[in-house]
Amino acid sequence: MFDVDISKGYVDMPVPEGVDLVAEIEKMKREKNAVVLAHYYQSGDIQDIADYVGDSLALAQWAAKTDASILVLCGVHFMGETAKIICPDKKVLIPDLNAGCSLADSCPADAFVEFVKQHPGYKVISYVNTSAAVKAHTDVVVTSSNAKQIVESFPDDEKLIFGPDKNLGNYINGVTGRHMLLWDGACHVHSQFSLEKIVALKKQYPDALLLAHPECKRDILLVADKVGSTAALLRFATQSDCKRFIVATESGILHEMKKNNPDKEFIPAPPDDSTCGCSECNFMRLNTMKKLYNTLKYELPEIVVDEAIAREAIKPIRRMLDISASLGI
C-alpha cells in the first residue's frame, strides 16, 4: 500500500520524470475500467484525453449510463458530487478537491433552507451548480441547457424559487414570463465580462457575433446574438455561416469550438479587469494532467457524499434527467 498524502486536496506524489502522461493515463483507464468525464471549461489537454466532454447536463447523463467502475470527474466539486449521487456504487474521483465553484459557494445550504422556509408554498428549483446539501432541499435540479423547459413544465401559476444564479434566473424569468423568487448568487467568471469592452470589440469586428452564457449579466445578454448553455453555444458556432465570434463564457470552451471549426475565429470576451485572466475559472484550472495521472494511479481523492443527503439529493436530479429525456434534451 502507498502512503499517499492528500492533505493539500490532491495526491501530492512525484510523477516519474519523462513519463508519457497521455499514454499512462490511457493505459490506466483500460486496466481499471475507468472513464474520464471532462467539462468544456477544462484545459485543452484534459478535454483531449477525456472519454466524454460536455456541459453539466451531458456529464450527468453520461455518468448515469456508463458501465465503468471508476469515474474521474474533471470539473469542479459539485459535478463530482452529482456523479456520486447518481452512481453510488461507483468510485468517483476528482483530481483536486479544491476545485470548488464560486456560484455553489454563494449558496450555503443552511441559509438557502432558511430562505425556502420563509416562503412556504413555493416549489424549489436549484441550478446544478449547488452542493449536494442544497439539492437535498430541492424539488428539481436544472442546468442552463434545460432550465427554460423545466421551468415551463410547472403550471403557469406555480410559485417558484430559483437559486442560486440570479443572472440565469432573471434570464429564465424573461423568456418564460415567470416571476420566480431568486437567490442572490452569481458566477465570478460570468459576472466579470465588460459590456463597454465587448461593444468596442463589436465595433472593431462588425462581422462578429456575440455568444453569451445566461450566467452573464443582463446587459451582456441584451446585446448578445445568441444566448445559451456551453453546448448550445458550441452547436450554434458550428452551424452558423459566420466566421468570427466573441465568446462570453469561460474560455475553456474555445478549445472545442476551434477543434470543430478550424476555419473560424473565436475571441474571448474581455473582463472589466484587464490585468486578470478573469475569463478563466481558477477552480476549473486546478485540475491538471499530472493530478489526473496521480488520481488514476492512486485512486484518490475520492468523492464522498453523506448517505442521508444523497438519498434526498437524487430525487431532484432524477426528476431533471427524466424531464430532459421526455423532452428530448
Side-chain angles (χ1 to χ4, degrees):
M1 294 292 292
F2 295 102
D3 183 15
V4 181
D5 178 15
I6 59 168
S7 61
K8 295 179 181 178
Y10 56 88
V11 176
D12 189 21
M13 296 288 280
V15 175
E17 187 174 348
V19 68
D20 185 334
L21 291 174
V22 172
E24 289 301 313
I25 289 170
E26 293 289 2
K27 178 183 177 184
M28 286 189 286
K29 286 197 297 181
R30 292 191 299 270
E31 292 175 346
K32 296 170 180 274
N33 188 27
V35 294
V36 174
L37 311 180
H39 194 275
Y40 286 127
Y41 294 164
Q42 291 294 284
S43 60
D45 51 0
I46 289 180
Q47 290 188 50
D48 288 342
I49 202 169
D51 298 281
Y52 304 103
V53 181
D55 60 7
S56 297
L57 175 60
L59 295 182
Q61 290 169 329
W62 281 323
K65 64 187 179 184
T66 181
D67 59 0
S69 303
I70 297 175
L71 309 181
V72 186
L73 206 299
C74 291
V76 291
H77 194 270
F78 78 79
M79 297 176 183
E81 282 189 331
T82 302
K84 183 63 178 179
I85 292 166
I86 294 171
C87 309
D89 297 330
K90 297 183 185 297
K91 181 176 285 190
V92 178
L93 309 173
I94 188 171
D96 192 332
L97 289 170
N98 300 302
C101 171
S102 60
L103 182 53
D105 291 345
S106 74
C107 187
D110 54 351
F112 188 70
V113 170
E114 185 60 33
F115 180 75
V116 172
K117 287 180 180 178
Q118 291 171 4
H119 300 91
Y122 280 72
K123 295 291 185 181
V124 180
I125 301 174
S126 289
Y127 196 25
V128 71
N129 299 45
T130 48
S131 67
V134 168
K135 291 182 177 72
H137 294 278
T138 294
D139 291 292
V140 63
V141 171
V142 300
T143 72
S144 54
S145 290
N146 60 23
K148 176 179 180 291
Q149 293 92 332
I150 289 180
V151 168
E152 289 178 333
S153 72
F154 284 90
D156 291 344
D157 59 351
E158 187 79 73
K159 295 190 292 185
L160 302 172
I161 287 173
F162 185 93
D165 192 281
K166 62 183 177 182
N167 293 323
L168 176 61
N170 270 319
Y171 172 72
I172 298 301
N173 274 342
V175 297
T176 63
R178 302 298 175 107
H179 302 280
M180 299 184 294
L181 290 180
L182 307 179
W183 178 265
D184 188 16
C187 165
H188 76 288
V189 173
H190 290 95
S191 296
Q192 292 297 317
F193 293 119
S194 166
L195 175 61
E196 182 181 359
K197 293 178 181 178
I198 288 173
V199 170
L201 264 182
K202 290 276 281 184
K203 289 180 179 178
Q204 183 180 353
Y205 303 106
D207 61 327
L209 298 181
L210 174 61
L211 311 180
H213 193 282
E215 289 180 29
C216 293
K217 292 179 292 186
R218 184 172 182 269
D219 57 359
I220 305 293
L221 302 182
L222 287 174
V223 300
D225 297 288
K226 172 65 178 180
V227 177
S229 66
T230 47
L233 298 182
L234 175 60
R235 186 165 55 249
F236 180 87
T238 300
Q239 294 173 351
S240 173
D241 293 331
C242 182
K243 295 297 184 181
R244 182 180 285 134
F245 302 87
I246 300 167
V247 185
T249 189
E250 211 278 350
S251 59
I253 189 63
L254 270 65
H255 178 73
E256 190 73 8
M257 286 179 168
K258 291 173 181 176
K259 278 179 63 177
N260 291 0
N261 305 277
D263 61 330
K264 298 180 181 181
E265 181 181 2
F266 298 94
I267 306 167
D272 285 310
D273 183 358
S274 59
T275 66
C276 73
C278 298
S279 61
E280 290 188 0
C281 175
N282 54 306
F283 294 113
M284 285 280 187
R285 302 311 169 94
L286 287 176
N287 299 316
T288 65
M289 288 289 284
K290 287 185 177 181
K291 290 177 183 176
L292 175 55
Y293 167 86
N294 274 333
T295 291
L296 271 168
K297 181 174 181 179
Y298 300 103
E299 299 183 19
L300 290 169
E302 184 173 357
I303 294 289
V304 178
V305 180
D306 178 85
E307 289 186 8
I309 290 175
R311 279 196 300 271
E312 295 305 311
I314 188 61
K315 298 173 186 176
I317 296 172
R318 286 291 182 199
R319 186 175 182 189
M320 174 189 73
L321 294 174
D322 290 345
I323 293 174
S324 294
S326 69
L327 297 173
I329 303 173

